[in-house]
Amino acid sequence: MKRLLDLAARPLLFRLDPERAHGLSIAALKSGVRLSDPPPVSRKLSLTLAGLDFPNPLGIAAGYDKNAEVPDALLRLGFGFAECGTITPRPQAGNPKPRIFRLAEDEAVINRLGFNNEGHQGALARLLARAPQGGVVGVNIGANRDSADRMADYEEGVRLFAGVASYLTVNISSPNTAGLRALQDRESLAELLERVMRARNAQAAGLDTGTPVFLKIAPDLSDEAMGDIAAEVLDKRVDGLIVSNTTLARAGLKSAAAQEAGGLSGAPLFERSTIVLARMRRLIGPWLPIIGVGGVRSAETALEKMRAGADLVQIYTGMIYQGPGLAARILRGLDTYAEREELSSIAEIRDSRVEEWAARRLD
C-alpha cells in the first residue's frame, strides 16, 4: 500500500517546482507525518565503522536536510544514518532560481543550488537539542562562496560541530561554488587536510578518539588526481571517503533539461561514481571506510556499490522518483539477499567486484 501511495503522490509533487516540493517534504517530516513504515531491524545489516555503530548501511546523503531540521525523522524512515548539510559558516542564499531541474526520462536531477543554507548557528542549535536521542547523524561542512579563506571555513566547521556530529564530511567537490573543486588539487588538498585534521585533533584532546572526518570527492577526476587524493588522505590520516558528489558529465541523457548547468545526480551517475569508487578502493586499500553514493535506487544498486568497495551507501535522488518508502524497500532487499546467500553480515560482499568495476572505462 505504501508503495502505491508513493507512486500516486509523484504526479502531484511533479506539478510543483522542485524546490517547493522539497520544502513540502521537509515540512511533512517536521510535522510527524508517517511517510513510510520502517523495515524490521536485521542483525545481518548492522556494522561498526570508524568507531560508529550503524544499524544498517543505508544513509540519506547531504543535500536533503541542509539545515539539520529533520535528522531524527529520517532515521525513523529506516535509515542507518543521516547526513545534514552542506552547512557554511554564514547563511547564504545560493545561486539564482530556478536551480533544480528534474530529468524524468533519465531518473535524474540537475542542481546548481550553491550551498544555500542558514549557516552554522541554526544547525548547531538544532543538533544540540536532538543530541540525547542518539543515532548516527553526520554534518557536511562547506565554505562560503565569498570567504576570504575557505580553508578557515572548514576549520571553523570542524571546531563547531565536532562535539555534536557523529562524523564530519569535508565537501570540496560540489560543482556549484566557483573554484571549490580546485581544493582537490594535491597542494591545496594537502594544506586543507592538514588544517582540518589539526582542528579535529585539537577538539579531541583528552578523548580516546576524535570525531571521524570523511572527505567527499567528485566523480570527474583523472586517474592521476585520484592517486593524489588517495595519497593525501592516507598521509593526513583522514578517517574515510565519500564517493561521490554530482557530475558535470552529460553523456547519454534524453531529457530536455540535460544541458542545464549544475551537478547531475540520479540513475545516470551510478556507473561513473561506482567506477571511481572501485578505483579509490584499490588506491587506499581495504581498511579505510568508503561511503558510496550516486545513482542508488534499489537493493541491487546498493549491493553493487558494496561489491565495488563501499562499506556504506547513501541515497537522495532515488527518493524523488520512488518516494520515501525507497529506504525501507532497499533494506528489506538487502536483508533478503543476506538470508538467501547465508551471509552472517552483508559486509561480506564488499570488494567482490572491485577489479571488474575499476577496469571499466570512464566516458
Side-chain angles (χ1 to χ4, degrees), residues 151 172 181-195 225 228-229 232 236:
M151 293 188 191
I172 56 173
R181 284 188 170 188
L183 290 174
Q184 295 176 124
D185 297 344
R186 186 162 189 172
E187 185 175 346
S188 296
L189 182 63
E191 181 183 353
L192 173 66
L193 294 181
E194 179 72 31
R195 291 170 65 169
D228 288 345
I229 289 170
E232 292 303 329
K236 304 304 184 294

Side-chain angles (χ1 to χ4, degrees), residues 15-226:
R15 292 177 185 172
L16 300 175
D17 169 80
E19 274 197 75
R20 175 64 174 157
H22 176 262
L24 287 175
S25 72
I26 294 287
L29 288 170
K30 289 173 74 172
S31 74
V33 172
R34 190 173 178 176
L35 298 179
S36 173
D37 295 323
V41 175
S42 169
R43 63 178 179 81
K44 292 180 182 290
L45 301 186
S46 64
L47 69 162
T48 299
L49 201 71
L52 301 172
D53 295 323
F54 295 84
N56 65 66
L58 184 66
I60 180 74
Y64 180 77
D65 187 11
K66 285 182 171 291
N67 296 301
E69 297 177 275
V70 291
D72 294 296
L74 290 164
L75 295 178
R76 287 192 292 271
L77 288 178
F79 287 106
F81 62 109
E83 186 171 319
C84 306
T86 299
I87 306 170
T88 58
R90 290 175 285 105
Q92 64 181 25
N95 294 318
K97 298 179 181 180
R99 53 193 182 179
I100 304 178
F101 306 89
R102 300 186 191 100
L103 283 66
E105 292 178 85
D106 302 294
E107 281 197 49
V109 166
I110 290 174
N111 91 81
R112 51 174 179 261
L113 288 162
F115 289 172
N116 58 309
N117 73 106
E118 297 173 4
H120 281 175
Q121 294 304 317
L124 179 63
R126 295 184 190 101
L127 290 167
L128 286 169
R130 60 82 46 199
Q133 299 186 58
V136 180
V137 177
V139 174
N140 184 299
I141 56 175
N144 284 111
R145 67 166 59 233
D146 59 351
S147 174
D149 184 349
R150 286 180 172 174
M151 293 188 191
D153 284 7
Y154 289 98
E155 290 176 299
E156 182 179 341
V158 170
R159 285 192 293 267
L160 202 64
F161 291 107
V164 295
S166 302
Y167 68 91
L168 297 165
T169 298
V170 176
N171 183 1
I172 56 173
S173 50
S174 170
N176 298 319
T177 297
L180 188 75
R181 284 188 170 188
L183 290 174
Q184 295 176 124
D185 297 344
R186 186 162 189 172
E187 185 175 346
S188 296
L189 182 63
E191 181 183 353
L192 173 66
L193 294 181
E194 179 72 31
R195 291 170 65 169
V196 162
M197 298 309 290
R198 188 187 307 126
R200 191 284 303 271
N201 293 339
Q203 293 301 107
L207 302 175
D208 291 336
T209 59
T211 304
V213 173
F214 284 71
L215 177 69
K216 187 167 186 174
I217 65 172
D220 307 316
L221 296 166
S222 66
D223 286 335
E224 180 182 5
M226 289 183 222

Side-chain angles (χ1 to χ4, degrees), residues 300-342:
E300 183 52 40
T301 49
L303 288 166
E304 205 59 24
K305 288 284 187 188
M306 296 177 196
R307 295 177 183 122
D311 298 279
L312 307 168
V313 296
Q314 290 177 323
I315 63 172
Y316 176 7
T317 302
M319 288 203 307
I320 294 172
Y321 290 96
Q322 301 193 43
L326 177 60
R329 292 193 296 275
I330 288 175
L331 291 169
R332 290 190 184 97
L334 297 184
D335 189 46
T336 298
Y337 177 86
E339 289 284 352
R340 186 176 70 243
E341 298 298 317
E342 299 181 346

